[in-house]
Amino acid sequence: MKILVAFESFFNFINSREVGSYIKKELQEDTVQMLPVIDGGEGSVEVLKQALDARYEYANVRGPKGDVVTARYAVKGEFCVMEMAEACGLNLVDPDERDILNSTSMGLGEMISDSLNKGARDFIIGVGDSATNDLGIGMLYSLGARFLDKNGNSLRPLAKNLGFIEDIDLNGLDKRIFDSTIRVACNIDNPLLGENGAAKRAKIKGASKKEIEFLEESAIKFTDMVERKLMYSTKNFPQAGAGGGVGYAFLTFLNASIQRSIDLILEIVDFKTLIKDIDLVIIGEKLDDFKDSPSLEIAKRAKKFKPDAKVVFIGEKIKEDFKKPLEIDSVFPISFFEIDSKKDKDFYLKSLSKLVRQIRNLVN
């Protein structure tokens, strides 16, 4: 039996590669393939590197708190795949040390600059699982932009300074960017402003209610200033809030496009060909319903290109009135909880192993 394991990161405690590796071990099958869903979280670059037969490159960059971290990305010729989380990920900051107002996306810009130096010109950049909420000013700063206060002084590219920016100097932006193609990968509609905007989502990054209000006000001031200066706006684009607003910076200043992560990865790995040899697809993610679910998209394409393949879903029980989509043969519920210790994580993985054994019995 040939099995495909395709998981999205279970935000904040276990990444897609780790889940896939664990399930592969539990199934004890040599014919298990892993396909973590690219959402910017950990594991995506590793899988795409293998799919593309690319090489790893490493760069010492600034993390979300400004300390030095080593970020990894994959390159093949001019093609480059990177994850924002490598430089600015939530996993790089201990929960009790998160400081959203002093966070910066500078490391992402440094990673892009490093890859440009190594010949990259065609980018896919995942922006999930970030610890920052600076609307990408840190990234832009590392690429040569400068942000000025009312007196013309350059401000540090931190989230707390967004509301004090009165002008932008773009003359120093790395011109190689404009000879490049950038596709930003994002799995969810994440607006920049409003009830479901970047500031509201900063709660999971450790932001207090007062900080969330400050970030929202700062984002409004900053985007209004940008609109006056550039005479256009991308702030209402459905995914401008991705990566703590870094999606807005990509759209507004770097001529990037934003695409659904799942569409990009399935294109890169040639899913139509891949699924032809697969007998069982195991998908999973943490979600409230199946609307815009990457897992459901995989299920739909699996059934389209290989109708006799079985598709099973592992995930949290989503709603009492939940109805299983037609493309999914079986659903295996599991409870998600915050991982605070190795003991918690071991308990979660043991629960997962029980489900894997049930799946084996189902398909055998």
Side-chain angles (χ1 to χ4, degrees), residues 102-232:
N102 285 294
S103 67
T104 181
S105 59
M106 289 183 69
L108 175 58
E110 291 170 335
M111 201 165 35
I112 294 171
S113 181
D114 185 78
S115 64
L116 287 167
N117 291 339
K118 294 171 180 173
R121 294 295 184 273
D122 185 3
F123 294 87
I124 289 180
I125 304 176
V127 295
D129 293 0
S130 77
T132 61
N133 206 97
D134 67 352
L135 274 60
I137 62 171
M139 173 188 71
L140 295 170
Y141 186 95
S142 294
L143 292 171
R146 291 297 177 263
F147 302 93
L148 312 175
D149 66 14
K150 62 182 180 181
N151 297 315
N153 300 313
S154 181
L155 290 166
R156 293 178 65 198
L158 303 174
K160 67 180 181 182
N161 288 332
L162 271 170
F164 301 102
I165 298 173
E166 296 289 340
D167 199 5
I168 311 175
D169 182 356
L170 300 175
N171 292 320
L173 264 180
D174 194 324
K175 300 301 186 291
R176 294 175 297 179
I177 284 288
F178 304 106
D179 294 324
S180 303
T181 299
I182 300 176
R183 288 177 287 173
V184 178
C186 176
N187 267 341
I188 60 172
D189 283 349
N190 188 185
L192 184 64
L193 305 171
E195 189 60 34
N196 297 312
K200 292 289 186 181
R201 289 183 59 81
K203 181 178 180 180
I204 59 179
K205 305 177 185 184
S208 67
K209 182 178 179 181
K210 185 176 181 180
E211 288 172 331
I212 289 171
E213 292 173 353
F214 177 82
L215 288 169
E216 180 76 2
E217 292 172 0
S218 297
I220 292 171
K221 291 179 182 177
F222 178 72
T223 55
D224 284 349
M225 181 276 298
V226 170
E227 189 171 350
R228 290 194 301 271
K229 181 176 177 63
L230 301 184
M231 301 300 292
Y232 68 88

Side-chain angles (χ1 to χ4, degrees), residues 256-314:
S257 63
I258 298 184
Q259 294 178 242
R260 287 200 313 164
S261 307
I262 190 62
D263 293 336
L264 283 171
I265 193 170
L266 296 182
E267 172 190 332
I268 291 169
V269 303
D270 188 9
F271 187 79
K272 182 177 181 179
T273 300
L274 174 67
I275 195 65
K276 288 181 179 179
D277 294 326
I278 299 297
D279 303 300
L280 170 66
V281 181
I282 303 176
I283 55 179
E285 61 181 297
K286 183 178 181 180
L287 42 66
D288 296 320
D289 58 43
F290 274 105
K291 183 182 178 182
D292 299 322
S293 162
S295 293
L296 184 57
E297 185 61 31
I298 292 173
K300 287 179 177 178
R301 297 197 193 193
K303 289 295 187 180
K304 177 180 179 180
F305 300 128
K306 184 73 179 295
D308 59 341
K310 284 190 176 294
V311 179
V312 300
F313 175 82
I314 295 177

Side-chain angles (χ1 to χ4, degrees), residues 314 332-334 351-360:
I314 295 177
F332 292 83
I334 190 170
S351 299
L352 184 60
S353 69
K354 292 180 181 179
L355 293 185
V356 172
R357 287 194 291 271
Q358 291 179 40
I359 292 170
R360 174 183 285 278

